[in-house]
């Protein structure tokens, strides 16, 4: 049982890193990556808990990037979390979040909703990674919307009254930072961007050219059709395949069951076959086992 994408309260998840690991283990997971948005601060606590439970933990992060003026999420897996260049890039990405929150709160104020800045921050365990998820929670708690989906469709989503365009990391720079830290870069939830077939093709090509390794063939509650389609895309571009629940909390919007992703289609080359042997970072060895992308000429 594998899950290579989930969140703790180091970003916009509800549970602490240790609680995430315990729940994943209770759900039968044996290989888990904690992938908080733009932050690796939960990995130490998660690793300690994983050692106690006897579950294998892979270093992870989900980096917000801007590609052609659109936001795309790139998951990094199995990297050295002590890598300075990667940490600098993550710190830079996080910097914009408080300012963006101010701008979102100002727009909500114009909609007659006050107090969103303080309200969202009060809900964030880590102000550096304060997210639209926290604003949504504030809107729910104050009775302005019924649920997270409605918070996005009414106020926070792209083009809605409180949406604020934001410049995240550059796609190629994020992939380079993950690769530079010895990791593997993965396009998160490609089925969720609402991109046209052409935009998706362009994204996959740009990602490939930047040194991207994989795409999520399964994410959250996506179904068999998505898995088959993205397995075919992965094969076409020579990508490895990843799978993650995108778990944030036990109830509410999005995310699948923590730790329990369905099996990938047979044609997939699972990304976990390219992970380093456990503890190779602990012994100071950061050389990656090289993996081969099978090129089919496309
Ligand atoms: P941010 O990184 O602050 O822009 O927040 C993005 C987060 O909001 C994502 O990681 C999801 O957890 C959540 N999210 C994004 N889109 C939606 C949506 N349409 N409905 C509910 N939650 C969403
Ligand atoms: Mn999130
Ligand atoms: Mn995401
Ligand atoms: Mn996520």
């Amino acid at each position: 049982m594998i899950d290579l994408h989930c969140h703790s309260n180091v970003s916009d998840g509800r549970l602490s890193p240790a609680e995430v690991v315990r729940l994943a283990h209770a759900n039968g997971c044996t290989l888990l990556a904690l992938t908080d948005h733009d932050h690796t601060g939960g990995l130490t606590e998660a690793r300690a808990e994983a050692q106690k439970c006897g579950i294998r933990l892979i270093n992870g992060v989900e980096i917000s990037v801007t590609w052609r003026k659109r936001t795309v999420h790139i998951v990094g897996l199995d990297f050295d979390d002590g890598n300075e260049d990667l940490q600098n890039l993550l710190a830079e990405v996080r910097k914009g979040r408080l300012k963006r929150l101010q701008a979102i709160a100002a727009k909500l104020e114009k909609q007659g909703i006050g107090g969103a800045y303080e309200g969202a921050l009060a809900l964030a365990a880590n102000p550096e990674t304060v997210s639209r998820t926290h604003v949504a929670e504030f809107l729910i708690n104050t009775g302005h919307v019924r649920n997270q989906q409605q918070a996005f469709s009414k106020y926070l989503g792209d083009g809605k009254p409180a949406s604020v365009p934001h410049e995240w990391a550059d796609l190629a720079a994020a992939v380079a930072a993950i690769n530079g830290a010895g990791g593997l870069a993965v396009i998160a939830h490609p089925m969720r961007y609402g991109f046209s077939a052409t935009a998706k093709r362009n994204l996959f090509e740009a990602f490939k050219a930047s040194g991207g390794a994989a795409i999520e063939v399964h994410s959250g509650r996506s179904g068999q059709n998505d898995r088959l389609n993205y397995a075919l895309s992965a094969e076409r571009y020579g990508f490895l395949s990843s799978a993650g629940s995108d778990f944030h909390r036990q109830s509410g919007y999005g995310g699948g069951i923590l730790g329990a992703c369905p099996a990938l289609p047979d044609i997939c080359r699972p990304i976990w076959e390219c992970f380093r042997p456990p503890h190779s970072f602990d012994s100071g060895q950061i050389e990656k086992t090289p993996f081969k992308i099978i090129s089919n000429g496309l």
Side-chain angles (χ1 to χ4, degrees), residues 5-7 12 35-37 62 73 75 188-189 192 216 246-248:
H5 185 151
C6 66
H7 298 273
D12 60 348
T35 56
D36 274 307
H37 295 287
E62 182 177 14
H73 286 172
V75 162
H189 43 66
R192 285 229 308 264
E216 286 182 351
D246 207 3
F247 172 87
H248 284 72

Side-chain angles (χ1 to χ4, degrees), residues 105 132 160 167 188 244 263 297:
R132 281 185 294 169
K160 304 297 173 184
E167 190 77 29

Side-chain angles (χ1 to χ4, degrees), residues 42-287:
L43 295 178
T44 305
E45 181 185 316
R47 202 175 298 122
E49 191 62 31
Q51 266 156 18
K52 272 195 230 160
C53 297
I55 173 174
R56 185 165 166 214
L57 185 88
I58 299 296
N59 284 351
V61 69
E62 182 177 14
I63 307 181
S64 318
V65 315
T66 300
W67 173 75
R68 297 192 177 176
K69 297 201 161 68
R70 304 187 230 219
T71 298
V72 170
H73 286 172
I74 301 297
V75 162
L77 293 175
D78 200 29
F79 50 81
D80 171 13
D81 59 335
N83 182 275
E84 217 174 298
D85 290 341
L86 176 63
Q87 290 302 337
N88 288 341
L89 179 126
L90 295 177
E92 198 58 41
V93 180
R94 292 195 297 267
K95 258 190 198 163
R97 283 190 173 269
L98 279 174
K99 232 183 168 167
R100 182 185 64 148
L101 177 61
Q102 264 170 355
I104 291 173
K107 287 194 163 180
L108 284 171
E109 190 95 46
K110 283 198 185 137
Q111 302 291 310
I113 301 172
Y117 184 80
E118 298 75 15
L121 273 180
L123 295 165
N126 185 358
E128 264 193 304
T129 45
V130 69
S131 157
R132 281 185 294 169
T133 309
H134 300 109
V135 182
E137 205 177 339
F138 162 81
L139 291 171
I140 296 166
N141 294 348
T142 49
H144 294 285
V145 296
R146 277 193 309 275
N147 52 43
Q148 190 172 331
Q149 251 143 316
Q150 199 182 35
F152 278 82
S153 63
K154 221 171 150 184
Y155 296 110
L156 304 171
D158 287 350
K160 304 297 173 184
S163 87
V164 171
H166 192 76
E167 190 77 29
W168 302 105
D170 174 67
L171 173 71
V175 174
I178 292 166
N179 288 343
L184 298 165
V186 186
I187 297 180
H189 43 66
M191 55 299 280
R192 285 229 308 264
Y193 299 117
F195 286 0
S196 67
T198 309
K200 239 178 275 178
R201 202 161 53 231
N202 290 336
L203 171 63
F204 289 165
E205 277 166 11
F207 180 66
K208 180 87 185 173
S210 307
I215 61 173
E216 286 182 351
V217 161
H218 172 81
S219 171
R221 296 178 197 165
S222 62
Q224 181 74 7
N225 271 355
D226 270 341
R227 284 193 289 281
L228 286 173
N229 281 333
Y230 288 97
L232 289 172
S233 295
E235 189 185 44
R236 183 169 321 130
Y237 291 90
F239 289 136
L240 300 165
S241 295
S242 189
S245 65
D246 207 3
F247 172 87
H248 284 72
R249 57 186 59 79
Q250 275 149 305
S251 61
Y253 169 81
I257 297 168
L258 177 67
C261 291
L264 296 181
D266 285 345
I267 57 167
C268 292
R269 289 185 304 133
I271 192 168
W272 50 89
E273 291 176 359
C274 298
F275 291 159
R276 266 169 279 249
H279 309 306
S280 56
F281 287 133
D282 305 345
S283 57
Q285 172 205 338
I286 59 157
E287 212 44 54

